[in-house]
Amino acid sequence: MTFDCTKERLYIQDVTLRDGMHAIKHMYELDHVRKIANALDSAGVHAIEVAHGDGLSGGSLNYGLGAHTDWEWIEAVAEVLTHSVLTTLILPGVGTADELRSSVRSWRAFGSGGHALH
């Protein structure tokens, strides 16, 4: 199968600010998160996934504590996005529906207009 960019649209979702957390032991600082999100947004990335490497509420003794909470990282990214959609990850048995709702509240409080949290 080949991809013809004149006939098909490619959707890009970057997971640096979620899966990439593992490489640095979940120690992204908020200014780094903002800079990375801004660069991805400026580059035209469609969606940016943000959370602890193991998803919402993954920051624990079992999975490794993060430098910040999921909500602080989500708020920092939401502050700088102008085009990209902010996404997150929730793993059954790690995160809860209440934590997902908290993520939506964080995005709404700090997010720029028109961008959904998926």
Side-chain angles (χ1 to χ4, degrees):
M1 180 176 180
T2 60
F3 178 77
D4 183 348
C5 65
T6 63
K7 296 179 182 174
E8 301 175 66
R9 186 165 182 224
L10 184 63
Y11 183 87
I12 299 172
Q13 176 162 333
D14 188 276
V15 297
T16 302
L17 297 176
R18 202 271 311 151
D19 200 38
M21 290 275 190
H22 294 298
I24 61 166
K25 297 182 181 178
H26 320 287
M27 291 294 138
Y28 272 126
E29 290 297 334
L30 297 178
D31 60 330
H32 293 125
V33 167
R34 285 186 196 97
K35 287 177 185 176
I36 292 167
N38 187 50
L40 292 168
D41 187 63
S42 297
V45 171
H46 297 102
I48 301 169
E49 189 170 293
V50 182
H52 181 278
D54 294 292
L56 293 178
S57 294
S60 67
L61 294 177
N62 289 339
Y63 298 108
L65 298 172
H68 295 278
T69 67
D70 295 311
W71 300 274
E72 290 171 327
W73 285 317
I74 288 169
E75 290 167 3
V77 170
E79 289 172 5
V80 300
L81 294 186
T82 58
H83 305 291
S84 300
V85 173
L86 195 159
T87 67
T88 194
L89 174 75
I90 186 167
L91 297 174
V94 178
T96 66
D98 284 339
E99 289 154 342
L100 185 58
R101 283 187 282 276
S102 291
S103 297
V104 172
R105 283 192 295 274
S106 292
W107 171 81
R108 286 183 179 152
F110 293 91
S112 52
H115 303 287
L117 177 69
H118 294 268

